Amino acid sequence: MRMRMHNPGDRFQPKEQAKNKKATLLRLLRYVMENYKFSFLVVFACIIVSSVATLTSTLFTQKLIDDYIVPLAASAAPDYSPLAMALLKLAAVLVAGVACSYAYNRIMISVSQGTMLRLRKDMFSHMESLPINYFDTHSHGRIMSNYTNDVDTLRQVISSSLPSAFSSLITLTLTFVSMVVLSVPLTMVSVVMAVVMAYATTRLGKMSRKHFVEQQDNLAAVNGFIEEMMTGQKVVKVFCHEQQAIRQFSAINSALRESAFNANKIANIVMPVNGNLGNLAYVLIAVVGATIALSTDVGLSLGTLVAFLTLNKNFSQPISHISQQINSVISASAGAERVFQLLDEQPEADQGSVTIVNAVETAEGQLRPTTERTGIWAWKTDEDQYVKVEGGVRFDMVDFSYVPEKQVLYDIVIDAMPDQKIAFVGGTGAGKTTITNLINRFYDIQDGKIQYDGININDISKRHLRRSLGMVLQETQLFTGTVLDNIRYGRLDATDQECIEAAKLVGADDFIRRLANGYQTVISGSASNLSQGERQLLSIARTAIADPPVLILDEATSSIDTRTERLVQQGMDSLMKGRTTFVIAHRLSTVRNADCIIVLEKGRIIEQGTHDQLIALHGKYYQLYTGNEI
């Protein structure tokens, strides 16, 4: 059982949380209104007509009894034509009310679905602008829950709760005015009972609110756990972790059940409580009204009393309707808060203005931009000057930490010249992958400077910086589509023939042609119909089609067997020719021929040089090499 430490400021939290909930709901309402102002005006008008129609039918009861039934019953020769005409007029009003009720419900369905469409678009667009560290600190299952469960709770509120609230407020107002006109004493009784009902609804709502918030959080936790278990199902099977996973899921699922049970247990009491209070109000008004009607001092007709009793039902029903929507409103406020938290996340900062363009070289040796692919890349500076992309990368006394309390890299100095192959070796956690992540600015450094062709990478637009870098990761990620589509992901304007040439370059052409439909074979995102080595070859081909001046290979051949590695190594060498290449590898074949091998330990460079130079030092690299630990 989780223990909760007492916080002296806890007594202030309920009021602050209430303010946050109100602010969240108001923000949601503004978000909906931005694109649907006219629709809401139409809905508002239809609700008024519908409410007026309902009120008209109620007030007609008084006229029906006092002006038609009683006189007709006392008449020796009753004339029913006035009654028939009145009923026809009432029927026309009720038909108009039904039509308006149907119209505003249809409009609200359109509004709710349109809002969901826009909300998910905004969420996805904003998510694409978030930095990598956001996804490092938020589980994928919880993010998915924002798109599904949280957005769906908002749909329910928009389509049903909002129009119900508008209708209830209008009905309350019109009914109250009519009740005052009919009888002030009876109105006072109705108001007192309405206050009691509102108080009961408020108290019960406060009791269930925290449980609804817990319910949404626990639902996200369940989604996150399921997503994690689905992704790691092979590991679960290999280590026979099924029973432990079941126990963990049972605990999380039980927490969801408990919070959902507590929330709905209290919320579902609201309707019966209000229903019984409404019945009590009906009885009290009937007694008080009958007493007044039988009094000779105050005149209260039978029709007025019957109409007022009906009005009292209309007066209490909106309160019951509002209480009925409390569940949806509380869940929506929790869901909206989580959705807006995602939308409020700060996007990835980028003050860089230097861009990369295709260029041609003039007879005078000058560079000028072109829309054609010439194989020449150029940096375009703020002064509209063009500097050829050579691929030189320099680290100058770089310090870095993911969190302020724990520094990861210390005084890193690297000078990678164009067309050089730089290899990083070292134990797990030494900082090899971190260095390559700094080159493409997945993370920004705390101190020092990183230059790309003499330009500070902070001055280069991130989009254009990453466009100049090709990265092959140890973990491959393919997407649902054809083999050609996955290769073309590296450059969307590449032709089919260019994709095929890229596959040939890295040695993927042979296995692709053996697939059922060759390059048109459709693979799933998990690519379960391909081996790990084949998936990696496609990932390498994707990088080849991008034709970047700098390559980053993060253990790119670790998933490929020795025979396949020999086949692909020639293609890799061709791919690396003329490019600056950073390699993180454990295999000697990708380390020994590097122009510079950098040995890292605990975030510091302890050795660097060629293979022969480091062997001659008899230092850390020598130990790794002779111990076959690379």
Side-chain angles (χ1 to χ4, degrees), residues 569-628:
Q569 192 61 54
Q570 183 177 356
M572 290 289 293
D573 289 341
S574 300
L575 178 62
M576 290 186 286
K577 190 173 297 182
R579 312 174 198 274
T580 306
T581 307
F582 295 92
V583 179
I584 300 173
H586 289 168
R587 296 194 177 180
L588 298 177
S589 57
T590 54
V591 172
R592 291 189 59 174
N593 61 352
D595 297 298
C596 180
I597 301 172
I598 297 175
V599 184
L600 291 160
E601 187 173 68
K602 296 181 179 179
R604 300 180 186 274
I605 296 177
I606 57 174
E607 295 173 4
Q608 59 179 310
T610 64
H611 171 77
D612 293 336
Q613 290 171 340
L614 294 178
I615 289 293
L617 286 177
H618 284 72
K620 181 67 176 179
Y621 179 80
Y622 177 82
Q623 295 174 8
L624 293 172
Y625 179 73
T626 56
N628 294 320

Side-chain angles (χ1 to χ4, degrees), residues 33-55:
M33 290 286 287
E34 282 180 6
N35 286 341
Y36 296 100
K37 289 181 181 178
F38 178 74
S39 296
F40 267 91
L41 288 175
V42 174
V43 166
F44 191 72
C46 288
I47 289 176
I48 292 176
V49 173
S50 178
S51 299
V52 169
T54 303
L55 183 63

Side-chain angles (χ1 to χ4, degrees), residues 399-410 428-431 434 438 443-446 602-604:
D399 293 339
F400 173 74
S401 59
Y402 291 104
V403 293
E405 300 80 17
K406 186 178 180 180
Q407 189 166 340
V408 177
L409 296 178
Y410 302 83
T428 301
T434 299
L438 297 181
Y443 305 92
D444 287 327
I445 61 178
Q446 278 72 47
K602 296 181 179 179
R604 300 180 186 274

Side-chain angles (χ1 to χ4, degrees), residues 10 38 120 124 189 213 219 223 232 436 450 519 524 559 576:
D10 280 354
F38 178 74
R120 286 194 173 114
F124 191 83
V189 177
V213 174
L219 184 59
N223 288 336
T436 59
I450 303 176
Y519 282 89
S524 64
S559 301
M576 290 186 286

